Amino acid sequence: MSATTQSPTAPDSRAPSKARRLLGDQRLPVAATALLFLVMYGVGLSRYQYYGFAEPQVFLNLFIDNGYLLVAAVGATFVILSGGIDLSVGSMMGFTTMFTAWLVERQGVPLPLVIPMALGVGAFGGFLMGYVIQNFEIQPFIVTLAGLFLFRGLCLVISKESISISDASVSSMADAQVSLGVGFLSIGAIVALVVLAVAFYVLHYTRFGRRVYAIGGNEHSAMLMGLPQGGTKIAVYTVSGFCSALAGLLFTLYIQSGDPLHATGMELDAIAAVVIGGTLLTGGSGYVLGTLFGVLVLGLIKSIIQFEGTLSSWWTKIATGVLLCVFILVQRIMTARKRT
Amino acid sequence: MTTSSRWRALTQHHLFWPVAVLVLLLLVNVPFTPDFFSVRMSGGHLYGSLVSIVLFGSPLILVAVGMTLVIATGGIDLSVGAVVAITGALACSYISHQADQNALSGVLLAMGLGLLAAVVCGLWNGFLVARMGIQPIIATLIIMVAGRGVAQLISGGQIITVNSDPYKLIGGGYWLTLPFSIFVVAVVVAVTVALTRRTALGLLVESVGGNAEASRLVGIRSRRIKIMVYVFCALCAGIAGLMISSNTSAADGNNAGLWIELDAILAVVIGGTSLLGGRFSVGGTVVGALVIQTLTTTIYTIGVPTQTNLVFKAAVVIVVCLLQSPKFRARLFGARFGGKGSATPAAAPADTAAAADAAPKMEVS
């Protein structure tokens, strides 16, 4: 640890400590995920070049097909950075699809009114869970588990059957294509990218973002430093609830129906994306851009399995599991190295 | 004053709230089904609501008992649902390939294979948690995600049906007038209780859960104990997997044991075992699992639409957790018995104590 005596900006002339510093760099997991994405994309290009894999639209489709997951994973990133966990993401998304479909189709409420209502319900749900976690000191795991049951149950209370949406405003919004010259993006994909940009700004350039990292790093220290950890914690779950509801809206647009079983288990996809993106599950360390790469890697697995044709869909689960495992082990080895 | 303190002692017993909730739930059924508590004999089998609650609750009790020990070491096992699916898929696919599906040796071998797969899953979880030092929730997430894929791989993505009488016995058969699965559960629970309460094993598990590093320093092989509890938990899940697939005579890689990990964790929490680890109650867990199963049955008998099942479950989770939260109790009962002022001072020390508890834990893990 001789390197620590030097000023951080001075260029380091000695190779070994440079390598050591590189390995200790918190950005390394993100770089590794980005590299993995590029390698996988390269493999895809070489294997399926005659099937049109090289077309820019295949790349843009990753955003179109996974925009909702990106939004949900961004919300999960906030929670995980703060050292918590939110298991209600998938249920909240499912509930939002049901809520939206029911209001638009059965009640005839115009979409511009339904969107803020759905987002409000999501944010309020997140706020309630955060409030209980903070004020009654019950573990986030169990409180959000109750949230999981509650919102999935509320889906079924609205309707046992799926409600398909034939509303013109929804389908025109879902089918809208934003041209980028080489291809197009859907409105959902644009919204997801905007959410990512806002989250990046909030986490890295605002006081709130720094508090999230601080309480994730060490909640006790953060409290002793006088940070308003209670408010921050509640806010983090509110953000996650809001993101889940927004992800649910994007999912509704993507699939144009509400179903009580929509987005089952999506919280695990979101957590997997965050972990593969290099965020430490103990909290306090990670980047929201890593989450983007995590989502892209998961999306690319799905695309490659589609292109492969002969592989069955369950390989997606196995591949996701193997990737999760590799990244968790890499994270572990890196944090062990940092500590010694 | 004495009645109040006696009441206090009673309410603070770790089984008080779970049993109270269970009794309350059972009583709720009586106005709707007057013969709820009656057990009748029919065709050499015992029938009745109580019997069916235990029968349908058997897999959950098994999984939850395994989960209790994992949680007692401060861990958690999310992979049990996937292990249920893998075990069922492996056993059923082996049996379905047999020429004679009723051959006892084939069925025993199939069960052995299934349980072996479960043990391997448990060893893997234990290895990641104890050797690699990965957070349990994440380490077990791997099999939770990949395991269902593996189960579908084994079954070729299809629901495998079997037609085997010996296999049917485990989950759907009767023995001595009672469902056979009740005996399986009784044996597992009895062995667990005997091992953890009649030997020092339970103490060791609690000590590892209290502080793994400190127990290692006093000479407890905390890593070995951790691996052991994950293997035990996976084995319990494996038996539950055999039971579930046997009851339906089919293995469904996608849906077998779906959400059972959450129900099991819920049962453990209702039973009064702290998710932070360090102490546990197998009896509480059994009561907790029965509470969940009774809740499901009650919802059916009352005639509430079944889709509200999950909403009720959520309500129970919230109520039980709030009742277990010292801060909530201080706020509720403190305000009632001790006047307005007592709530805040009582809550403040609890706050710092919990924070101080959390701080050393963070450094260890």
mmCIF file of all heavy atoms in Angstrom, chain B residues 198-236:
data_model
loop_
_atom_site.group_PDB
_atom_site.id
_atom_site.type_symbol
_atom_site.label_atom_id
_atom_site.label_comp_id
_atom_site.label_asym_id
_atom_site.label_seq_id
_atom_site.Cartn_x
_atom_site.Cartn_y
_atom_site.Cartn_z
ATOM 1 N N ARG B 198 -30.837 -31.639 21.621
ATOM 2 C CA ARG B 198 -30.295 -32.655 22.521
ATOM 3 C C ARG B 198 -28.772 -32.744 22.403
ATOM 4 O O ARG B 198 -28.115 -33.358 23.212
ATOM 5 C CB ARG B 198 -30.897 -34.036 22.215
ATOM 6 C CG ARG B 198 -32.376 -34.131 22.466
ATOM 7 C CD ARG B 198 -32.696 -34.245 23.953
ATOM 8 N NE ARG B 198 -34.111 -34.028 24.184
ATOM 9 C CZ ARG B 198 -34.592 -33.213 25.116
ATOM 10 N NH1 ARG B 198 -33.781 -32.543 25.907
ATOM 11 N NH2 ARG B 198 -35.872 -33.067 25.270
ATOM 12 N N THR B 199 -28.237 -32.176 21.328
ATOM 13 C CA THR B 199 -26.784 -32.126 21.220
ATOM 14 C C THR B 199 -26.368 -30.655 21.198
ATOM 15 O O THR B 199 -27.216 -29.762 21.227
ATOM 16 C CB THR B 199 -26.292 -32.795 19.918
ATOM 17 O OG1 THR B 199 -26.621 -31.934 18.833
ATOM 18 C CG2 THR B 199 -26.931 -34.139 19.693
ATOM 19 N N ALA B 200 -25.074 -30.427 21.128
ATOM 20 C CA ALA B 200 -24.591 -29.046 21.151
ATOM 21 C C ALA B 200 -24.732 -28.363 19.792
ATOM 22 O O ALA B 200 -24.433 -27.190 19.648
ATOM 23 C CB ALA B 200 -23.126 -29.020 21.577
ATOM 24 N N LEU B 201 -25.199 -29.143 18.813
ATOM 25 C CA LEU B 201 -25.234 -28.617 17.457
ATOM 26 C C LEU B 201 -26.031 -27.316 17.340
ATOM 27 O O LEU B 201 -25.599 -26.359 16.695
ATOM 28 C CB LEU B 201 -25.836 -29.682 16.539
ATOM 29 C CG LEU B 201 -25.462 -29.570 15.069
ATOM 30 C CD1 LEU B 201 -23.956 -29.624 14.912
ATOM 31 C CD2 LEU B 201 -26.114 -30.692 14.289
ATOM 32 N N GLY B 202 -27.195 -27.279 18.002
ATOM 33 C CA GLY B 202 -28.028 -26.089 17.939
ATOM 34 C C GLY B 202 -27.306 -24.873 18.480
ATOM 35 O O GLY B 202 -27.364 -23.781 17.909
ATOM 36 N N LEU B 203 -26.600 -25.103 19.570
ATOM 37 C CA LEU B 203 -25.827 -24.024 20.187
ATOM 38 C C LEU B 203 -24.757 -23.516 19.220
ATOM 39 O O LEU B 203 -24.537 -22.312 19.071
ATOM 40 C CB LEU B 203 -25.185 -24.553 21.463
ATOM 41 C CG LEU B 203 -24.574 -23.499 22.379
ATOM 42 C CD1 LEU B 203 -25.665 -22.638 22.977
ATOM 43 C CD2 LEU B 203 -23.744 -24.161 23.451
ATOM 44 N N LEU B 204 -24.092 -24.479 18.562
ATOM 45 C CA LEU B 204 -23.036 -24.104 17.618
ATOM 46 C C LEU B 204 -23.620 -23.285 16.470
ATOM 47 O O LEU B 204 -23.056 -22.274 16.054
ATOM 48 C CB LEU B 204 -22.332 -25.354 17.073
ATOM 49 C CG LEU B 204 -21.624 -26.233 18.101
ATOM 50 C CD1 LEU B 204 -20.891 -27.373 17.410
ATOM 51 C CD2 LEU B 204 -20.661 -25.421 18.942
ATOM 52 N N VAL B 205 -24.778 -23.748 15.962
ATOM 53 C CA VAL B 205 -25.427 -23.026 14.859
ATOM 54 C C VAL B 205 -25.758 -21.600 15.297
ATOM 55 O O VAL B 205 -25.496 -20.628 14.587
ATOM 56 C CB VAL B 205 -26.701 -23.775 14.408
ATOM 57 C CG1 VAL B 205 -27.567 -22.896 13.521
ATOM 58 C CG2 VAL B 205 -26.341 -25.052 13.679
ATOM 59 N N GLU B 206 -26.308 -21.468 16.508
ATOM 60 C CA GLU B 206 -26.667 -20.139 16.997
ATOM 61 C C GLU B 206 -25.424 -19.284 17.190
ATOM 62 O O GLU B 206 -25.431 -18.080 16.940
ATOM 63 C CB GLU B 206 -27.448 -20.256 18.309
ATOM 64 C CG GLU B 206 -28.831 -20.841 18.081
ATOM 65 C CD GLU B 206 -29.694 -20.812 19.324
ATOM 66 O OE1 GLU B 206 -29.125 -20.715 20.425
ATOM 67 O OE2 GLU B 206 -30.921 -20.898 19.178
ATOM 68 N N SER B 207 -24.352 -19.916 17.638
ATOM 69 C CA SER B 207 -23.135 -19.158 17.871
ATOM 70 C C SER B 207 -22.552 -18.641 16.555
ATOM 71 O O SER B 207 -22.101 -17.504 16.457
ATOM 72 C CB SER B 207 -22.133 -20.028 18.619
ATOM 73 O OG SER B 207 -20.883 -19.970 18.040
ATOM 74 N N VAL B 208 -22.621 -19.489 15.515
ATOM 75 C CA VAL B 208 -22.148 -19.049 14.207
ATOM 76 C C VAL B 208 -23.012 -17.896 13.700
ATOM 77 O O VAL B 208 -22.517 -16.927 13.130
ATOM 78 C CB VAL B 208 -22.177 -20.226 13.206
ATOM 79 C CG1 VAL B 208 -21.942 -19.743 11.787
ATOM 80 C CG2 VAL B 208 -21.126 -21.252 13.586
ATOM 81 N N GLY B 209 -24.326 -18.001 13.947
ATOM 82 C CA GLY B 209 -25.226 -16.941 13.519
ATOM 83 C C GLY B 209 -25.001 -15.663 14.293
ATOM 84 O O GLY B 209 -25.133 -14.564 13.770
ATOM 85 N N GLY B 210 -24.670 -15.799 15.554
ATOM 86 C CA GLY B 210 -24.426 -14.616 16.378
ATOM 87 C C GLY B 210 -23.189 -13.871 15.923
ATOM 88 O O GLY B 210 -23.216 -12.664 15.699
ATOM 89 N N ASN B 211 -22.096 -14.588 15.765
ATOM 90 C CA ASN B 211 -20.886 -13.949 15.272
ATOM 91 C C ASN B 211 -19.962 -15.043 14.731
ATOM 92 O O ASN B 211 -19.289 -15.737 15.491
ATOM 93 C CB ASN B 211 -20.204 -13.167 16.390
ATOM 94 C CG ASN B 211 -19.071 -12.310 15.853
ATOM 95 O OD1 ASN B 211 -18.487 -12.620 14.821
ATOM 96 N ND2 ASN B 211 -18.787 -11.226 16.545
ATOM 97 N N ALA B 212 -19.938 -15.167 13.420
ATOM 98 C CA ALA B 212 -19.210 -16.262 12.776
ATOM 99 C C ALA B 212 -17.713 -16.183 13.078
ATOM 100 O O ALA B 212 -17.072 -17.192 13.364
ATOM 101 C CB ALA B 212 -19.451 -16.231 11.269
ATOM 102 N N GLU B 213 -17.179 -14.975 13.058
ATOM 103 C CA GLU B 213 -15.742 -14.807 13.249
ATOM 104 C C GLU B 213 -15.359 -15.166 14.677
ATOM 105 O O GLU B 213 -14.390 -15.891 14.924
ATOM 106 C CB GLU B 213 -15.359 -13.360 12.920
ATOM 107 C CG GLU B 213 -13.871 -13.093 12.840
ATOM 108 C CD GLU B 213 -13.162 -13.952 11.789
ATOM 109 O OE1 GLU B 213 -13.840 -14.473 10.903
ATOM 110 O OE2 GLU B 213 -11.935 -14.106 11.908
ATOM 111 N N ALA B 214 -16.158 -14.673 15.634
ATOM 112 C CA ALA B 214 -15.869 -14.967 17.037
ATOM 113 C C ALA B 214 -15.968 -16.463 17.301
ATOM 114 O O ALA B 214 -15.124 -17.032 18.012
ATOM 115 C CB ALA B 214 -16.837 -14.209 17.947
ATOM 116 N N SER B 215 -16.977 -17.129 16.714
ATOM 117 C CA SER B 215 -17.105 -18.574 16.960
ATOM 118 C C SER B 215 -15.935 -19.319 16.344
ATOM 119 O O SER B 215 -15.484 -20.314 16.879
ATOM 120 C CB SER B 215 -18.420 -19.144 16.447
ATOM 121 O OG SER B 215 -19.165 -18.221 15.780
ATOM 122 N N ARG B 216 -15.441 -18.819 15.214
ATOM 123 C CA ARG B 216 -14.280 -19.476 14.605
ATOM 124 C C ARG B 216 -13.080 -19.339 15.544
ATOM 125 O O ARG B 216 -12.314 -20.287 15.743
ATOM 126 C CB ARG B 216 -13.961 -18.842 13.254
ATOM 127 C CG ARG B 216 -13.024 -19.672 12.387
ATOM 128 C CD ARG B 216 -12.684 -18.957 11.091
ATOM 129 N NE ARG B 216 -11.957 -17.716 11.307
ATOM 130 C CZ ARG B 216 -10.648 -17.651 11.589
ATOM 131 N NH1 ARG B 216 -9.951 -18.747 11.670
ATOM 132 N NH2 ARG B 216 -10.058 -16.491 11.783
ATOM 133 N N LEU B 217 -12.958 -18.160 16.150
ATOM 134 C CA LEU B 217 -11.808 -17.923 17.027
ATOM 135 C C LEU B 217 -11.867 -18.760 18.300
ATOM 136 O O LEU B 217 -10.829 -19.125 18.843
ATOM 137 C CB LEU B 217 -11.718 -16.431 17.381
ATOM 138 C CG LEU B 217 -11.335 -15.547 16.205
ATOM 139 C CD1 LEU B 217 -11.375 -14.080 16.601
ATOM 140 C CD2 LEU B 217 -9.954 -15.902 15.676
ATOM 141 N N VAL B 218 -13.082 -19.071 18.792
ATOM 142 C CA VAL B 218 -13.144 -19.923 19.980
ATOM 143 C C VAL B 218 -13.081 -21.398 19.600
ATOM 144 O O VAL B 218 -13.200 -22.250 20.461
ATOM 145 C CB VAL B 218 -14.402 -19.685 20.850
ATOM 146 C CG1 VAL B 218 -14.427 -18.275 21.378
ATOM 147 C CG2 VAL B 218 -15.664 -20.015 20.095
ATOM 148 N N GLY B 219 -12.879 -21.700 18.342
ATOM 149 C CA GLY B 219 -12.616 -23.080 17.962
ATOM 150 C C GLY B 219 -13.785 -23.810 17.331
ATOM 151 O O GLY B 219 -13.706 -25.005 17.094
ATOM 152 N N ILE B 220 -14.875 -23.089 17.064
ATOM 153 C CA ILE B 220 -15.992 -23.746 16.369
ATOM 154 C C ILE B 220 -15.689 -23.713 14.879
ATOM 155 O O ILE B 220 -15.264 -22.685 14.348
ATOM 156 C CB ILE B 220 -17.308 -22.998 16.659
ATOM 157 C CG1 ILE B 220 -17.632 -23.064 18.143
ATOM 158 C CG2 ILE B 220 -18.449 -23.575 15.829
ATOM 159 C CD1 ILE B 220 -18.765 -22.172 18.560
ATOM 160 N N ARG B 221 -15.866 -24.855 14.222
ATOM 161 C CA ARG B 221 -15.614 -24.866 12.778
ATOM 162 C C ARG B 221 -16.803 -24.231 12.091
ATOM 163 O O ARG B 221 -17.681 -24.923 11.574
ATOM 164 C CB ARG B 221 -15.408 -26.292 12.304
ATOM 165 C CG ARG B 221 -14.160 -26.922 12.885
ATOM 166 C CD ARG B 221 -14.124 -28.384 12.492
ATOM 167 N NE ARG B 221 -13.039 -29.070 13.176
ATOM 168 C CZ ARG B 221 -11.827 -29.215 12.650
ATOM 169 N NH1 ARG B 221 -11.558 -28.741 11.474
ATOM 170 N NH2 ARG B 221 -10.889 -29.843 13.321
ATOM 171 N N SER B 222 -16.825 -22.895 12.085
ATOM 172 C CA SER B 222 -18.043 -22.196 11.640
ATOM 173 C C SER B 222 -18.294 -22.438 10.154
ATOM 174 O O SER B 222 -19.440 -22.531 9.730
ATOM 175 C CB SER B 222 -17.938 -20.710 11.944
ATOM 176 O OG SER B 222 -16.867 -20.142 11.258
ATOM 177 N N ARG B 223 -17.216 -22.572 9.367
ATOM 178 C CA ARG B 223 -17.426 -22.794 7.936
ATOM 179 C C ARG B 223 -18.110 -24.130 7.694
ATOM 180 O O ARG B 223 -19.029 -24.229 6.890
ATOM 181 C CB ARG B 223 -16.089 -22.787 7.207
ATOM 182 C CG ARG B 223 -15.530 -21.396 7.059
ATOM 183 C CD ARG B 223 -14.186 -21.478 6.411
ATOM 184 N NE ARG B 223 -13.738 -20.151 6.044
ATOM 185 C CZ ARG B 223 -12.573 -19.919 5.461
ATOM 186 N NH1 ARG B 223 -11.761 -20.921 5.201
ATOM 187 N NH2 ARG B 223 -12.224 -18.705 5.157
ATOM 188 N N ARG B 224 -17.633 -25.151 8.424
ATOM 189 C CA ARG B 224 -18.205 -26.475 8.239
ATOM 190 C C ARG B 224 -19.682 -26.465 8.638
ATOM 191 O O ARG B 224 -20.521 -27.078 7.988
ATOM 192 C CB ARG B 224 -17.428 -27.485 9.080
ATOM 193 C CG ARG B 224 -17.738 -28.909 8.725
ATOM 194 C CD ARG B 224 -16.882 -29.872 9.493
ATOM 195 N NE ARG B 224 -15.494 -29.895 9.027
ATOM 196 C CZ ARG B 224 -14.569 -30.687 9.561
ATOM 197 N NH1 ARG B 224 -14.877 -31.479 10.555
ATOM 198 N NH2 ARG B 224 -13.344 -30.668 9.106
ATOM 199 N N ILE B 225 -19.970 -25.749 9.728
ATOM 200 C CA ILE B 225 -21.366 -25.690 10.172
ATOM 201 C C ILE B 225 -22.227 -24.981 9.139
ATOM 202 O O ILE B 225 -23.348 -25.405 8.837
ATOM 203 C CB ILE B 225 -21.440 -24.996 11.547
ATOM 204 C CG1 ILE B 225 -20.801 -25.925 12.555
ATOM 205 C CG2 ILE B 225 -22.867 -24.611 11.901
ATOM 206 C CD1 ILE B 225 -21.191 -25.734 13.944
ATOM 207 N N LYS B 226 -21.687 -23.917 8.557
ATOM 208 C CA LYS B 226 -22.455 -23.209 7.533
ATOM 209 C C LYS B 226 -22.736 -24.123 6.340
ATOM 210 O O LYS B 226 -23.863 -24.193 5.859
ATOM 211 C CB LYS B 226 -21.693 -21.969 7.067
ATOM 212 C CG LYS B 226 -21.937 -20.754 7.935
ATOM 213 C CD LYS B 226 -21.356 -19.528 7.275
ATOM 214 C CE LYS B 226 -21.578 -18.307 8.165
ATOM 215 N NZ LYS B 226 -20.936 -17.125 7.611
ATOM 216 N N ILE B 227 -21.700 -24.814 5.863
ATOM 217 C CA ILE B 227 -21.908 -25.719 4.721
ATOM 218 C C ILE B 227 -22.958 -26.760 5.086
ATOM 219 O O ILE B 227 -23.879 -27.040 4.318
ATOM 220 C CB ILE B 227 -20.579 -26.406 4.325
ATOM 221 C CG1 ILE B 227 -19.615 -25.362 3.776
ATOM 222 C CG2 ILE B 227 -20.820 -27.491 3.287
ATOM 223 C CD1 ILE B 227 -18.250 -25.890 3.416
ATOM 224 N N MET B 228 -22.857 -27.259 6.319
ATOM 225 C CA MET B 228 -23.783 -28.283 6.774
ATOM 226 C C MET B 228 -25.236 -27.798 6.731
ATOM 227 O O MET B 228 -26.117 -28.521 6.258
ATOM 228 C CB MET B 228 -23.414 -28.677 8.197
ATOM 229 C CG MET B 228 -23.825 -30.039 8.611
ATOM 230 S SD MET B 228 -23.563 -30.162 10.383
ATOM 231 C CE MET B 228 -24.766 -29.001 10.992
ATOM 232 N N VAL B 229 -25.484 -26.570 7.206
ATOM 233 C CA VAL B 229 -26.885 -26.116 7.232
ATOM 234 C C VAL B 229 -27.427 -25.915 5.821
ATOM 235 O O VAL B 229 -28.599 -26.178 5.551
ATOM 236 C CB VAL B 229 -27.103 -24.835 8.079
ATOM 237 C CG1 VAL B 229 -26.844 -25.122 9.533
ATOM 238 C CG2 VAL B 229 -26.290 -23.670 7.586
ATOM 239 N N TYR B 230 -26.571 -25.481 4.883
ATOM 240 C CA TYR B 230 -27.061 -25.326 3.509
ATOM 241 C C TYR B 230 -27.371 -26.683 2.889
ATOM 242 O O TYR B 230 -28.339 -26.824 2.151
ATOM 243 C CB TYR B 230 -26.057 -24.541 2.652
ATOM 244 C CG TYR B 230 -26.138 -23.060 2.939
ATOM 245 C CD1 TYR B 230 -25.300 -22.455 3.860
ATOM 246 C CD2 TYR B 230 -27.109 -22.283 2.317
ATOM 247 C CE1 TYR B 230 -25.402 -21.121 4.147
ATOM 248 C CE2 TYR B 230 -27.227 -20.944 2.596
ATOM 249 C CZ TYR B 230 -26.362 -20.355 3.524
ATOM 250 O OH TYR B 230 -26.486 -19.039 3.819
ATOM 251 N N VAL B 231 -26.531 -27.678 3.198
ATOM 252 C CA VAL B 231 -26.803 -29.021 2.689
ATOM 253 C C VAL B 231 -28.105 -29.550 3.293
ATOM 254 O O VAL B 231 -28.963 -30.101 2.595
ATOM 255 C CB VAL B 231 -25.624 -29.971 2.995
ATOM 256 C CG1 VAL B 231 -25.999 -31.402 2.670
ATOM 257 C CG2 VAL B 231 -24.397 -29.553 2.212
ATOM 258 N N PHE B 232 -28.257 -29.336 4.610
ATOM 259 C CA PHE B 232 -29.476 -29.793 5.276
ATOM 260 C C PHE B 232 -30.712 -29.128 4.668
ATOM 261 O O PHE B 232 -31.731 -29.780 4.397
ATOM 262 C CB PHE B 232 -29.394 -29.490 6.779
ATOM 263 C CG PHE B 232 -30.623 -29.861 7.535
ATOM 264 C CD1 PHE B 232 -30.943 -31.191 7.757
ATOM 265 C CD2 PHE B 232 -31.487 -28.883 8.012
ATOM 266 C CE1 PHE B 232 -32.085 -31.543 8.446
ATOM 267 C CE2 PHE B 232 -32.632 -29.225 8.704
ATOM 268 C CZ PHE B 232 -32.926 -30.554 8.921
ATOM 269 N N CYS B 233 -30.600 -27.825 4.444
ATOM 270 C CA CYS B 233 -31.727 -27.071 3.890
ATOM 271 C C CYS B 233 -32.086 -27.606 2.495
ATOM 272 O O CYS B 233 -33.255 -27.822 2.187
ATOM 273 C CB CYS B 233 -31.375 -25.595 3.816
ATOM 274 S SG CYS B 233 -32.691 -24.579 3.188
ATOM 275 N N ALA B 234 -31.049 -27.835 1.670
ATOM 276 C CA ALA B 234 -31.301 -28.340 0.319
ATOM 277 C C ALA B 234 -31.903 -29.742 0.373
ATOM 278 O O ALA B 234 -32.783 -30.079 -0.420
ATOM 279 C CB ALA B 234 -30.012 -28.346 -0.491
ATOM 280 N N LEU B 235 -31.435 -30.545 1.344
ATOM 281 C CA LEU B 235 -31.968 -31.898 1.483
ATOM 282 C C LEU B 235 -33.453 -31.848 1.846
ATOM 283 O O LEU B 235 -34.277 -32.581 1.279
ATOM 284 C CB LEU B 235 -31.177 -32.644 2.564
ATOM 285 C CG LEU B 235 -31.386 -34.150 2.639
ATOM 286 C CD1 LEU B 235 -30.957 -34.805 1.342
ATOM 287 C CD2 LEU B 235 -30.607 -34.734 3.799
ATOM 288 N N CYS B 236 -33.803 -30.969 2.785
ATOM 289 C CA CYS B 236 -35.226 -30.797 3.146
ATOM 290 C C CYS B 236 -36.024 -30.377 1.917
ATOM 291 O O CYS B 236 -37.118 -30.886 1.672
ATOM 292 C CB CYS B 236 -35.371 -29.727 4.234
ATOM 293 S SG CYS B 236 -34.849 -30.273 5.845
#
